[in-house]
Amino acid sequence: MNVALALKHLFCKEGCSIEHLDLADNSFGVDGAQALSSLLILCNDLNYLDLRDCLLIDEGIRLISDSLIAIVISLSPTQGVASIHGTCGYKTPGR
């Protein structure tokens, strides 16, 4: 099953709250990043995301980044953001 699809089923459960999400080494690429980015907007409690070695390339990283920015913007001033930690581990092709 596609990782993003599996997460969609998890996120759709009432009361689901994700704070730590480690998806390293899943290699879901840009298609998975697109699906994941639409789901991340539902994760207002997320404070750690690991996407190392997921073959996101620049487009996938942009999609995920846009979703994370939307989360931060949606937070109330009293919630704030202590920190958001994440890794993408991108290798430039041919290096």
Side-chain angles (χ1 to χ4, degrees):
M1 178 182 268
N2 179 308
V3 172
L5 215 77
L7 290 172
K8 181 178 182 179
H9 293 293
L10 179 65
F11 292 150
C12 290
K13 292 184 179 183
E14 191 173 325
C16 177
S17 176
I18 305 279
E19 293 181 16
H20 185 105
L21 186 56
D22 185 339
L23 296 173
D25 299 317
N26 276 291
S27 303
F28 48 76
V30 176
D31 290 339
Q34 186 169 18
L36 180 61
S37 68
S38 65
L39 298 174
L40 285 176
I41 295 172
L42 304 173
C43 297
N44 291 335
D45 295 327
L46 185 67
N47 63 37
Y48 180 89
L49 177 63
D50 189 345
L51 297 173
R52 282 178 293 115
D53 203 18
C54 289
L55 304 177
L56 297 177
I57 65 172
D58 291 343
E59 183 181 351
I61 292 169
R62 181 188 52 79
L63 290 166
I64 299 295
S65 297
D66 288 348
S67 293
L68 294 174
I69 290 167
I71 292 170
V72 172
I73 290 171
S74 72
L75 295 174
S76 72
T78 56
Q79 284 176 295
V81 176
S83 63
I84 294 178
H85 305 279
T87 59
C88 285
Y90 174 68
K91 289 185 179 179
T92 304
R95 289 191 184 182

